[in-house]
Amino acid sequence: MSTLRLIALEDTVVFPGMTVTLPIDVGEEKRVLLVPRHGTDYAHVGTVADVVERIRLPGRGFAAVVAGLHRGVAGAAQPDATGGLTVEVEEATDVTPAPASTIDLEREYRAVVHEILELRDADERVGQFVRAITEPGALADTAGYSPDLTFTQKVELLQTLDVVERLALALRLQRERLAELQLRKRIREDVESGAHKQQRDYLLRRQMDSIRKELGEDDIAVADDYRQKIADAGMPDDVRQQAERELSRLDRMPEGHGESSMIRTYLDWLLAVPWSKQSEERLDPVHAREVLDADHAGLDDVKTRITEYLAVRKLRAERGVPEDRRSGVILTLIGPPGTGKTSIGESIARATGRKFMRMSLGGVRDEAEIRGHRRTYMGALPGRLVRALRDAGTMNPVILLDEVDKIGADWRGDPAAALLEVLDPAQNHSFRDHYLDVELDLSHVLFIATANVADTIPGPLLDRMEVIRFDGYTVEEKVAIARDYLWPRQVERNGLRPAEVTIDDALVRLVITDYTREAGVRQLERELGTLLRKIATAIASNTTQAPVGVDEARLRDALGRAKFFQEAASRTAVPGVATGLAVTGAGGDVLFVEAAAMSGSDGLVLTGQLGDVMKESARI
């Protein structure tokens, strides 16, 4: 046991037998203990070294030439008078083991080092130096000269006191270096033999390919992954065969082929379709009617049709009647705006326990939006129906085709014509998307289309639809809708509580007659919202105390003067005035036809853009 000055070396390891120059101040010491350190972590074994020479550097710095002697196990450290540390050291000189225990390790170690030196084209004198070492411990320590060993590996080698274990560790580390160098050489040779005169980016790409191949991460693994996904997807037989054909093409393609990414995208879309997944449908007509009644007032026709559909499905399921793929339902709700056509779709989905997807078709002019693009085009995608099935995650969602009467047509095709197959229960079990190019069964989807007018829907398309017409609401129906649905919803949206504000039916009727003229109830809801915002502002500003009972004065103050007047009685009381009715997609109105007698010559001249029928009627 001896006491030596401790010299900590930051991320540096000095082995016995090494003579190095270090930027350290050793004072007057003749022998020191060199201990590797990383941050605040010290190795517990260092190298006992002789101080061969002290050097004064420019700028008051110091350096020392030290020669490593043997290992030393560090004990407790104590500060010395110069501000450094001294440590108790148990000096551990190598004990030479029996030759039989190390001779094979020594022979293999020298052979591995010789291979490394050849791969590195090292100076022959390095090999001679290694061959000249006869002590097994010193031979193992030559691994510490390697620049490829990490700091941690060198510390592990330094702290291995047993000579046989140290030699085995050094051999393992040098084998890893040899394997790495051989891999680099093989990659370099592969690249050089195949690259010829290609550019630098091609070289780098081939290097990446070779590295992936060595790691087992090439296209074989990708193909196996796709093969497993296809097996688990539950595809129909013809779809599975198509997927396997495309996968075989991907298998045969060379690495980096431009078309491989297109095939992968196609396979990803095939796998995105939920071929074997369906929502568990709730076939309960009574429950469905309760949900629909809770969400919407009136609309008896559509509610009755949905309950009939569920009742038939329930009877067929209970009595074991085979499923008919041609018995799909395509309902088309035609009526004025604001009558609840779009919102009824969500209620139907909730009543049947299906997923709900909405496709807005207003202004769509490209046929590919419905059928998808051919795969030959760059950036090709499936149509909206395939994307809706992917997003729904099931093959039996409720899909709402909103504003189907506002589809356009131009040089890109007619989307309405593409819908002919989709909305035909006799055909849509074998719908074919241009991108996927396989048959897609849409017979389980519950399609609901909405439109304001039937006139702009092409005849063949309208013929495939089961039309349910929505009439405009009467005043009494609007009062009931406002009381049971619109008023509670607007109270909540405006931050009020039900008990804080009340309104009676007479005032709701006043809002309907004096401030709205519509078939639906959208403007009515806006007017109620305006009234409630005024009340909410008054309550928040402490100018009004809750609860508030709405009277006519408060209503007039919030909504302003009346916008519409019921003038039919007063107008028709005048001789020469008759009434007519106008019906449009937005509802209807009363027209006043007034006859006037005046002096003048015979004949009547009509100006403006009037049609022949209108001119003839005026003359009569």
Side-chain angles (χ1 to χ4, degrees), residues 344-356:
I344 195 74
E346 293 185 50
S347 298
I348 292 171
R350 196 158 67 87
T352 57
R354 299 185 180 205
K355 292 292 183 66
F356 175 74

Side-chain angles (χ1 to χ4, degrees), residues 77-295:
Q78 298 290 336
D80 60 12
T82 63
L85 292 174
T86 60
V87 65
E88 296 290 327
V89 179
E90 180 183 346
E91 302 191 22
T93 56
D94 286 346
V95 177
T96 303
S101 61
T102 60
I103 187 168
D104 291 338
L105 292 173
E106 291 179 49
R107 184 182 298 112
E108 187 173 357
Y109 181 83
R110 287 190 174 92
V112 170
V113 171
H114 179 71
E115 290 287 333
I116 292 173
L117 296 176
E118 279 193 349
L119 287 172
R120 283 193 173 279
D121 292 328
D123 194 324
E124 176 60 26
R125 286 176 295 180
V126 178
Q128 293 173 357
F129 166 71
V130 173
R131 287 193 294 272
I133 298 174
T134 58
E135 293 295 327
L139 184 64
D141 285 342
T142 59
Y145 289 95
S146 171
D148 297 324
L149 261 63
T150 65
F151 173 77
T152 304
Q153 290 172 331
K154 290 181 179 181
V155 169
E156 183 183 4
L157 189 66
L158 179 67
Q159 294 185 148
T160 305
L161 301 178
D162 183 87
V163 172
V164 179
E165 292 179 8
R166 190 192 314 158
L167 189 56
L169 174 62
L171 177 59
R172 178 173 63 81
L173 296 175
Q174 295 289 39
R175 278 178 183 157
E176 292 174 0
R177 286 183 58 221
L178 176 61
E180 181 182 346
L181 290 171
Q182 288 173 336
L183 175 59
R184 288 181 185 174
K185 180 183 178 184
R186 186 160 60 250
I187 292 172
R188 188 168 58 249
E189 288 175 350
D190 287 349
V191 172
E192 289 173 354
S193 63
H196 298 296
K197 296 179 181 179
Q198 297 296 332
Q199 297 178 348
R200 178 175 176 274
D201 59 342
Y202 180 75
L203 266 170
L204 294 174
R205 196 177 301 116
R206 286 299 302 273
Q207 284 182 329
M208 289 289 293
D209 291 343
S210 298
I211 291 169
R212 284 201 188 105
K213 191 181 293 184
E214 292 295 334
L215 293 174
E217 296 177 356
D218 58 348
D219 284 342
I220 296 174
V222 173
D224 288 343
D225 184 42
Y226 274 118
R227 194 167 284 112
Q228 184 61 45
K229 288 180 179 177
I230 291 170
D232 296 341
M235 298 175 174
D237 290 342
D238 57 333
V239 180
R240 180 176 47 78
Q241 290 167 7
Q242 170 73 359
E244 289 173 350
R245 278 196 298 270
E246 292 295 325
L247 186 56
S248 298
R249 289 182 59 209
L250 182 65
D251 259 344
R252 293 194 300 271
M253 280 185 181
E255 297 172 13
H257 195 282
E259 198 177 346
S260 62
S261 63
M262 294 175 61
I263 295 177
R264 289 190 191 189
T265 304
Y266 176 74
L267 290 174
D268 288 339
W269 273 109
L270 272 184
L271 292 168
V273 177
W275 299 101
S276 58
K277 297 177 183 175
Q278 292 199 6
S279 300
E280 187 173 344
E281 190 175 17
R282 182 166 184 176
L283 302 175
D284 186 348
V286 176
H287 167 75
R289 184 62 191 243
E290 290 173 354
V291 171
L292 295 172
D293 285 338
D295 289 349

